[in-house]
Amino acid sequence: HLLGALRLSGARQRLMDREREELTATPSETDAPRYAAEITDDLLRLLFVCCDEEIPPDSRLVLALKTLCGFSTQEIAFRLFITEANVHKRLSRARDQLRYIAPELESPPLETMKTRLPSVRNVLYLLFNEGYLSAQPDKAIRRDLCEEAIRLGTLLASHKAGADPETFALLALMNLHGARLDARTDGVGGLQLLEDQDRSLWDQSRIRTGLEWLKESASGDAFFRYHAEAAIAAEHCMAPTFAQTRWEKIVGLYGILDRIAPSPLHVLNQAVAMAEWKGAEAGLELLNGVEPPSWLTGFHLWDAVSGELYRRTGRIEEACHHLELALSSAPTEAERRLLGRRLASVPFLGL
């Protein structure tokens, strides 16, 4: 079975076999360009294999997350805003296509890797996101996934196939968010909101690394979504306090992000920043101007933000309604506890 060959143990064996062949073979000029672009890290190389352009984009993402990153079907469905049945369909299509194309498990040629690079970056982005705010019921944060995404991103940025401004921006984003991991929990598994985090726990070395990558990402002429997201993360990391955050800059960056990659989730985050800048009513006005698409139905963070903004404006009935919806659909115990505290802070209706 071809998917069985995608296991890391099999890849390592092939790598060892090839290395033995290289030691006994006379190198030729035609071999040199390919081996010069070889990726020695098993997982990163197999990510490029899974992102074969012959596999439909939505299926290659599911294949990589499931086969190489170890995501459950439920986690993939949550991250991609699709049903678990849809995950199975996409995975089945990817498997069928793999049987048809029979890909090699060694590094593709350099130009081929460059065409697959956007999909590989997308996998690393989702891998980091699952670590940063996990969909697993009993784990709010999975540091190992964040560290692995940063490790792979660093390797990608050092390889000629991936060393470009968009990769540098993604690496900046992951390092800047990763710098705050120690402050994101309260020591007993509960989540800490940004406004409540102890900033002395932020990893200043990692922040500097993130800012260096962000500076490096400015070397090109194009501005990608990862640039905008990294710039937003940098604003948070450089703010001395929550109150001193340059919220107007963040509102503007979310506007740019939504123009580059339109999504109601960007508007959701922009509404949060707008509420900090100009007040909860302004945030609500922005949020209520968007009709959430059907794929966002039941997404707990949409109701959580709506409920919080209604709470701040004193609209108690609406606040309770949205916070209760968010509480019922939150995927993790840590998020349910956080939402429960918010709901408990809403003044009693007296009904």
Side-chain angles (χ1 to χ4, degrees), residues 165-166 169 214 217-232 252-261:
E166 192 170 3
L214 185 57
S217 75
S219 58
D221 296 327
F223 191 86
F224 300 97
R225 64 168 297 175
Y226 298 132
H227 284 98
E229 292 191 49
I232 292 167
L253 285 166
Y254 273 120
I256 294 172
L257 177 59
D258 194 51
R259 288 194 294 274
I260 295 172

Side-chain angles (χ1 to χ4, degrees), residues 151-330:
R151 183 188 75 83
L152 292 169
T154 304
L155 289 173
L156 186 62
S158 66
H159 192 279
K160 61 180 66 178
D164 65 14
E166 192 170 3
T167 298
F168 301 154
L170 173 60
L171 201 48
L173 169 64
M174 294 191 295
N175 273 282
L176 291 168
H177 278 320
R180 297 194 284 112
L181 285 177
D182 285 341
R184 296 196 69 240
T185 56
D186 57 14
V188 292
L191 282 171
Q192 291 279 69
L193 294 174
L194 181 60
E195 61 193 274
D196 300 322
Q197 290 177 16
D198 180 356
R199 297 185 178 222
S200 69
L201 297 177
W202 290 5
D203 186 338
Q204 295 301 317
S205 175
R206 179 150 276 178
I207 289 175
R208 287 192 294 272
T209 299
L211 293 175
E212 288 169 3
W213 281 116
L214 185 57
K215 181 179 179 181
E216 189 72 17
S217 75
S219 58
D221 296 327
F223 191 86
F224 300 97
R225 64 168 297 175
Y226 298 132
H227 284 98
E229 292 191 49
I232 292 167
E235 287 291 338
H236 287 303
C237 286
M238 292 188 295
T241 65
F242 184 80
Q244 291 174 285
T245 304
R246 299 193 300 178
W247 294 108
E248 72 282 3
K249 297 289 186 182
I250 293 177
V251 168
L253 285 166
Y254 273 120
I256 294 172
L257 177 59
D258 194 51
R259 288 194 294 274
I260 295 172
S263 169
L265 294 178
H266 300 152
V267 180
L268 178 68
N269 286 309
Q270 188 181 35
V272 173
M274 180 69 78
E276 297 298 337
W277 179 27
K278 291 192 173 181
E281 287 287 1
L284 268 177
E285 182 179 355
L286 183 62
L287 192 60
N288 290 338
V290 176
E291 183 68 28
S294 58
W295 55 265
L296 263 182
T297 301
F299 182 52
H300 68 293
L301 290 181
W302 192 278
D303 283 304
V305 170
S306 297
E308 173 62 14
L309 296 183
Y310 278 122
R311 184 186 73 86
R312 293 186 191 182
T313 59
R315 296 165 67 174
I316 306 305
E317 187 171 355
E318 291 98 327
C320 288
H321 170 71
H322 284 285
L323 288 172
E324 286 170 353
L325 286 176
L327 184 61
S328 66
S329 58

Side-chain angles (χ1 to χ4, degrees), residues 130-134 136 138-144 146 180-185 189-191 334:
E130 172 57 25
Y132 190 72
L133 184 59
S134 176
Q136 288 195 354
D138 58 343
K139 292 182 180 179
I141 291 173
R142 298 173 65 185
R143 182 184 293 273
D144 59 323
C146 291
R180 297 194 284 112
L181 285 177
D182 285 341
R184 296 196 69 240
T185 56
L191 282 171

Side-chain angles (χ1 to χ4, degrees), residues 121-136:
R121 276 194 291 251
N122 201 9
V123 172
L124 297 185
Y125 179 77
L126 292 172
L127 180 64
F128 183 88
N129 283 349
E130 172 57 25
Y132 190 72
L133 184 59
S134 176
Q136 288 195 354

